[in-house]
Each structure stands twice: as structure tokens, then as C-alpha cells.
Amino acid sequence: MKKRLSFLDQYLTIWIFIAMILGVGIGYCIPSIPNTINAMSSGTTNIPLAIGLILMMYPPLTKVDFSKMALVFQKPKILLASFVITWIVGPFLMFLLSIFFLKNYPDYMTGLIIIGLAPCIAMVIVWSELAEGNRELTAALVGINSLLQVLFFSVYAYFYLEIMLPLFGIKGLALHITIAQIASTVGLYLGIPFLLAVVSRYLIRKFKGALWFNQKFVPTISPITLIALLFTIIVMFSLKGAMIVKLPIDVLRVALPLVFFFTIMFLLMFVVGKKVGANYSDNASISFTASGNNFELAIAVSIGVFGINSGQAFAGVIGPLVEVPALITLVNVAFWLKRKLY
């Protein structure tokens, strides 16, 4: 019997739409709200949003069992294929799609590039589970990808935004982003929840036991990610009341390359996985790991580097709006490929 999404996850796209509409409504009806939100800042960091974004990252990182990371090294061909497609092909593909579809919209273009720099470490567990993927392999890949994001996301962002864009003739953006600037943002929004997750996982499992941790603590904190995401969206869209007319068109502009990215990455990884001898459950795990993105981190970095009102942050918000229906469709594609190839 196929697994099903929880009620909250199943209608995530609807919740995001509602949050966007609610945010715009608040911005229209209470004109003082944008100034109030912007006033609650320390330097370039908006305090309420920083809290929301850290809370957004904490639950998925807490679920990662880093002790299972060694399992991946028992399957070196699968690990190498997953690494190459996820960390080398994926970011470059998103880079090309961003330039092709959004060259005339540089803010959205750079926002989409940021989205492509890090694989998903949260919802990928859900997609893999629904597609009957290898749970242990998924957990191990999530653990490795989490560590790689902490260590290398800032370098990746600098490379693609400051070095690669000019090589492709994209000039005049005047980004001038330093690695230190991105690293400080990643350290705040990913480093803090990462450390909190590791510490809380160790201490709670030590004093309360693994069973209590998995069956009580994790289910209790899981909804925090959705609540924090919706809070972030409401706040961001309350600052974007003036964009209400062009909003639907902008959503489609950002959504189209994302749909291409999800589809190409999933099918490419599935074909490569089959070629290197992965069984179906392993192939489903690496394919969903390759096709999903860490939108929470992309939103956090875009807000931290470019600001709450930026087009980059807007593009980040569109990500999960598109990802949910797209990846649910790919779960069905995975079962179809299973029947055809396995």
C-alpha cells in the first residue's frame, strides 16, 4: 500500500497561496506594517525573520541521523553518481535555466541560481518515503548534503554569482558579494540550527531514549517548519503590496524554469542510477535527493544578502509553491519507471 502525505504536507501549496494573499492583504490594509517590520532590524538582519528562518531549518536537521552516513560509502558507484549529478550538474543546470528564462529579470535570475546551489534536506525524506525509496540511504545522503551545505554553500554562491555570471556575459548587476558576507548569512541561518539540531538530538536521545525522540519529540517539532515558512511568507508579502497586479505573472516566470529543473534532474539521476546498477529503492532515493532543493536556506540567504524586499527572496518563496505539486507528480513517475525498468 502506497504511503500518503500528511494533511499539512498534502495541501502545502494551498497554505502557501493563502499566506501570500494574507500577507498582501495585511500590507494593503495596514500601511504602517512594512515600516514596523523593517524597524525590527539589527544591521542587515531582521530579528523576527531571523528567528522564523532559524526555526524553519531546525526540525529537518534534527531528523538527520548522521550515524547512518557511513552507509553511503558501502555503495561507492551510487555515491559518486549522486554527488556528480546533485552537486556539479544540478547547480550548473539551474544556472543555465535561470539565464535562459530570466536574463531580463536579474533579481529573479540570481534568486533562482541561489535555489540551485543546495539539495533538499527536508522534504526529500517525504518524497523518498512516498516513492518507497531506501530510507537509510536517503538519511545518509541528507546527512552528507547537510554537512556539505554548511561547509561549501558560501563558496558555491560566490562562484556562480560573482565569477560565472560575468563569464556568460551577464554584466551590470553590480552584486559585489563577498564570500564572507554569504558565509556569515549561512552561518546564521544554517549553522545555528545545525548546531542546535546536533546538540538536541544527542542530549534528548541520551536522557529520554531514541524511541521517545523519534515518536514524541520529532513529530511535535515537525510542524514548526511549515509554521515558520508561512510566517516568513506572510511577512515578505506584507511588504510587497504594490506587486499584487504583476504577482501572478512573476510567479509563472519563476515557476517555469523550476519545473524544467525538477523534471530534468529526476529523470537524469534515475537513468544514471540505473546505469551504475542501483536497485529501485536506491534509485528513488538518489533521484529525489538530486531533484529537490533547500528552499529554506535559499530564502534565508536571499533575505540576508539582498534584503526582505528583494526579487531574490521572492523567487525563493515561489520554490516550495512549485516543488510540492511537481515532486508529487514525480513520485507517480517513479512508480511508472519502476514498472518499466525494474
Side-chain angles (χ1 to χ4, degrees), residues 24-334:
V24 171
I26 292 173
Y28 265 123
C29 298
I30 312 175
S32 62
I33 283 291
N35 291 332
T36 302
I37 294 173
N38 286 320
M40 292 185 286
S41 299
S42 175
T44 58
T45 302
N46 183 267
I47 305 302
L49 276 180
I51 294 172
L53 291 166
I54 290 171
L55 289 174
M56 192 193 310
M57 294 297 300
Y58 174 68
L61 288 168
T62 305
K63 298 175 186 177
V64 177
D65 187 352
F66 292 96
S67 66
K68 293 181 178 178
M69 286 172 55
L71 293 172
V72 174
F73 297 98
Q74 298 173 7
K75 302 176 179 181
K77 287 185 178 180
I78 294 177
L79 174 61
L80 180 61
S82 176
F83 177 82
V84 170
I85 300 297
T86 303
W87 282 97
I88 298 177
V89 176
F92 187 64
L93 173 63
M94 186 70 90
F95 178 81
L96 294 178
L97 289 171
S98 302
I99 292 176
F100 181 78
F101 285 99
L102 297 168
K103 187 174 182 178
N104 295 325
Y105 303 89
D107 288 355
Y108 296 158
M109 180 184 67
T110 52
L112 216 62
I113 292 171
I114 292 172
I115 289 173
L117 298 181
C120 181
I121 59 171
M123 287 297 286
V124 61
I125 298 171
V126 176
W127 310 130
S128 179
E129 190 79 1
L130 289 173
E132 299 176 358
N134 184 327
R135 186 178 300 172
E136 288 71 29
L137 178 59
T138 302
L141 289 171
V142 166
I144 290 175
N145 288 335
S146 299
L147 289 175
L148 290 176
Q149 286 176 40
V150 173
L151 295 173
F152 298 115
F153 186 91
S154 56
V155 177
Y156 255 50
Y158 181 83
F159 174 74
Y160 273 100
L161 296 179
E162 288 292 324
I163 297 176
M164 288 295 288
L165 278 177
L167 290 179
F168 277 72
I170 310 297
K171 299 179 180 180
L173 298 183
L175 295 176
H176 303 303
I177 305 168
T178 65
I179 292 180
Q181 185 181 5
I182 300 172
S184 63
T185 302
V186 174
L188 174 66
Y189 295 120
L190 184 57
I192 291 177
F194 178 82
L195 290 175
L196 288 175
V198 171
V199 171
S200 61
R201 183 181 179 88
Y202 171 77
L203 292 177
I204 293 172
R205 286 167 64 92
K206 180 179 179 180
F207 292 106
K208 298 290 289 185
L211 190 65
W212 190 91
F213 176 84
N214 291 322
Q215 295 187 359
K216 296 291 184 180
F217 182 72
V218 170
T220 300
I221 66 169
S222 291
I224 292 175
T225 295
L226 175 59
I227 295 169
L229 173 63
L230 296 179
F231 168 77
T232 301
I233 292 170
I234 290 172
V235 171
M236 288 178 59
F237 276 82
S238 69
L239 303 173
K240 292 182 174 293
M243 293 184 66
I244 185 64
V245 175
K246 53 188 283 193
L247 178 62
I249 299 175
D250 286 8
V251 169
L252 292 175
R253 282 197 183 103
V254 176
L256 187 58
L258 282 172
V259 171
F260 274 99
F261 177 83
F262 296 142
T263 305
I264 294 170
M265 286 295 290
F266 179 84
L267 295 176
L268 176 62
M269 187 71 258
F270 206 96
V271 170
V272 172
K274 188 71 170 66
K275 291 287 186 182
V276 299
N279 59 39
Y280 170 75
S281 62
D282 288 351
N283 211 350
S285 295
I286 61 177
S287 296
F288 281 106
T289 300
S291 53
N293 293 104
N294 189 345
F295 291 105
E296 296 89 349
L297 179 58
I299 293 170
V301 170
S302 293
I303 290 175
V305 175
F306 297 102
I308 304 171
N309 295 295
S310 66
Q312 290 86 351
F314 177 83
V317 170
I318 303 307
L321 184 71
V322 181
E323 184 186 44
V324 175
L327 272 292
I328 288 175
T329 301
L330 288 176
V331 168
N332 294 315
V333 172

